Amino acid sequence: MSDTDGLRYTKIPLNNGSDEIPALGFGTLIPDPIATKEAVKISLEAGFRQFDCAERYRNEEQVGEAMRAVLEEGKVKRKDVFVGTKLWNTNHRPERVKPAFEASLRRLQLDYVDLYCIHTPFAFKPGDEQDPRDENGKVIYDSATTLTDTWKALESLVDEGRCKAIGLSNVSLGQLKEVFEIARLKPAVLQVESQPYLPEWELLDYCKRNGVVMQAFAALGHGMEPKLIDDPVITAIAKRVNKTPAQVLLAWAVQRGTAPLTTSTSTRYIKENFDIATLPDEAMKEISQGIDTRVRLNSVVETGIPGFIPRGT
Ligand SMILES: NC(=O)c1ccc[n+]([C@@H]2O[C@H](COP(=O)([O-])OP(=O)(O)OC[C@H]3O[C@@H](n4cnc5c(N)ncnc54)[C@H](OP(=O)(O)O)[C@@H]3O)[C@@H](O)[C@H]2O)c1
C-alpha cells in the first residue's frame, strides 16, 4: 500500500453526462459557526474537493464565507470544487423549492451548485419553522406533497442552469425506484448512511446498475457507539497496513464505489482523513464479509427528524 497512490483523488462520473464527483467528501454538519468556517478552510487546504451542505445545518453562510476566502486567495478554483446542498423538509411544496434553493445559493455565495438533494422523503408543514411541532410535541407532516412532486420542481432547477445535478437522501430503495420511474432527469446521487455496520449492499447494487452515485454518511460511525474505529477487524487491518482505522474505513468506502462523507473540526483528523491509500483485496474482503455487527446509527431515515443539528447562532 502506497501513500502516494491516487485513491484520495478518485472521481465518480455523474449520470448528467458532463460532471464527476470527487469521491472523498467533507461534510459541514458542524454545530459551531466559527468552527465551521475554520474546518471548511482547513479541509479545502488539505485537499478535499467535495463539500456536503444543507439549509438545515444553518451554517451555509459560514461555509460560503470560508470557501470565498480560499477561492479569492487563488489557490483553489471554483470549477475544481464540488459543492452540494440539500432542500429541507419544510420546503417540499413545489412552489417553495426555487426560493429555498436560491436562498442556499445566496448564503453559500455561489452562482451554481454542483448538486442539490432532497434531504429526506418526509414533507413537513411548510413554513419558516424548520421543526414544526403540534401541542403534543409531535412533528407536523404535510400530506399534501409527494416526493415526486418535489422531484419535478428540482428538475426545473437543472433546466434553469444553476444546479448541475439533483439527488435524494434518506430514501428507501422503493422510494428511489419510484422517483427513478417518473423522473425526466434521473437522480444523480443518493445520500444515505452507509458504513461497515450498515453496508446497504442492495441499495449500492441498484445505484451502480442505474448510474446513481451512493454518497455514504456516517462513514466513520458518527463518533457514536458502537465505535466503528475500535472494531477489531478495522483496527487489525489498520495495524497491518500502517494506516489509522479512519483511513481504513474511508479507503474501503471509496474502493467499494461509494462517495464517503466525514466531518471533523480537528486539523489532525481532517488531514488524516484525506490521506487515504488503497487497501489490499483481502482487507476489502475482510471488512465486507468478516464484520457481522449491524447497526443503523442515524434514525433520520425513519421520521425525517435529524439526529443532531446545529442549534443556530
Ligand atoms: N443526509 C443526512 O441526513 C445526513 C445525516 C448525517 C450526516 N450527513 C452528512 O455527512 C457528513 C459526515 O458526518 P458524519 O457524522 O456522518 O461523519 P463521521 O465522519 O462518520 O463522524 C464524525 C465523527 O467522527 C470523528 N472523527 C472524524 N475523523 C476522525 C478520525 N480521523 N479519527 C477519529 N475520529 C474521527 C469526529 O470527531 P471530531 O468532531 O472530534 O473531529 C466526529 O465525532 C455530515 O457533516 C453531513 O454533511 C448527512
Side-chain angles (χ1 to χ4, degrees), residues 148-159:
T148 51
D149 293 338
T150 310
W151 184 258
K152 287 177 194 158
L154 259 72
E155 291 180 329
S156 304
L157 298 177
V158 180
D159 296 338

Side-chain angles (χ1 to χ4, degrees), residues 238-252:
K239 207 166 166 195
R240 226 164 54 220
V241 300
N242 201 21
K243 283 282 176 183
T244 67
Q247 290 167 332
V248 169
L249 287 162
L250 292 171
W252 174 78

Side-chain angles (χ1 to χ4, degrees), residues 27 29 52 57 169-170 191 217-218 220-222 246 263-264 272-273:
L29 176 44
D52 177 62
Y57 301 163
S169 179
N170 295 310
Q191 184 180 126
F217 71 78
L220 302 182
H222 264 342
T263 297
S264 181
E272 177 184 322
N273 294 347

Side-chain angles (χ1 to χ4, degrees), residues 13-16 180 186-189 205-214:
L14 292 181
N15 64 9
N16 66 2
F180 218 85
K186 304 297 179 199
V189 168
D205 179 57
Y206 179 88
C207 285
K208 284 185 175 173
R209 281 188 289 108
N210 290 282
V212 182
V213 175
M214 192 164 115

Side-chain angles (χ1 to χ4, degrees), residues 25-30 51-54 57 86 88 118-120 169-170 191-193 216-224 228-229 244-247 250 260-266 268-270 272-273 297-298 300-301 306-308:
F26 189 80
T28 63
L29 176 44
I30 299 170
F51 289 81
D52 177 62
C53 315
Y57 301 163
K86 303 192 278 298
W88 184 238
I118 301 177
H119 203 143
T120 87
S169 179
N170 295 310
Q191 184 180 126
V192 288
E193 175 181 347
F217 71 78
L220 302 182
H222 264 342
M224 286 167 76
L228 258 176
I229 54 170
T244 67
Q247 290 167 332
L250 292 171
L261 291 170
T262 66
T263 297
S264 181
T265 52
S266 134
R268 179 166 74 86
Y269 282 167
I270 293 171
E272 177 184 322
N273 294 347
L297 297 162
N298 195 314
V300 64
V301 72
F308 43 92

